Amino acid sequence: WGLIPNLLVIGITAYILFPGKRAALCCRANAGNAGKETIMIHTHFFQKNGTVCMEMQGHAMTAPKGADLVCAAATTVAYTLAQAVQFLYEQGLLEEKPKIQIADGYALVSAAPKAEAWAETLMAFWVTQAGAYVLEHNYPQAVCLMPMEVSA
């Protein structure tokens, strides 16, 4: 099939499964909470300067710290992407070492794929985005997804 048709299929699937306007509305629901602890995990997927990125921040607060299964699930999603990106790097498919920062209430994973590895890299982020979508779908009061805009 080649790279372009595969990216087109990924882009069309992402558009169908993750319409950006729906996600933008949910994230604006907490916009007026300046100065208050935000009760939501915001997950944003994006491309910037030749990199593919996921940034996740916040807390679900659906249970006490250490017992919050929604936070645990979101953390698992972040660590899974971090490991997938690390595997891509170890296989020589990235231009440089990926940026991986994971701390309490925050995760950033960024990868700069080589030209021949865009499909594999986008697929890793797409599968992670699907996991974040499942969390948002099942826990809309606690998780907000801003999906990656993919153009064909």
Side-chain angles (χ1 to χ4, degrees), residues 22-101:
R22 172 198 48 78
L25 291 174
C26 88
C27 288
R28 281 196 289 268
N30 270 357
N33 290 335
K36 299 177 187 174
E37 191 166 18
T38 302
I39 304 175
M40 183 166 277
I41 297 170
H42 294 271
T43 306
H44 183 205
F45 290 85
F46 57 98
Q47 294 182 45
K48 180 180 179 182
N49 300 327
T51 63
V52 186
C53 309
M54 180 211 67
E55 186 173 34
M56 181 182 289
Q57 57 188 350
H59 292 279
M61 296 187 193
T62 58
K65 188 173 182 168
D68 192 330
L69 295 180
V70 177
C71 270
T75 300
T76 300
V77 165
Y79 272 105
T80 300
L81 178 61
Q83 186 61 65
V85 165
Q86 184 63 35
F87 286 150
L88 291 171
Y89 176 69
E90 291 168 3
Q91 293 169 9
L93 298 174
L94 301 181
E95 293 286 349
E96 60 192 45
K97 188 172 181 175
K99 184 175 186 179
I100 300 172
Q101 296 177 326

Side-chain angles (χ1 to χ4, degrees), residues 18 45 73 77 125-136 143 145:
F18 311 114
F45 290 85
V77 165
F125 279 82
W126 183 83
V127 169
T128 303
Q129 185 172 277
Y133 171 79
V134 170
L135 286 174
E136 179 194 49
V143 179
L145 170 65

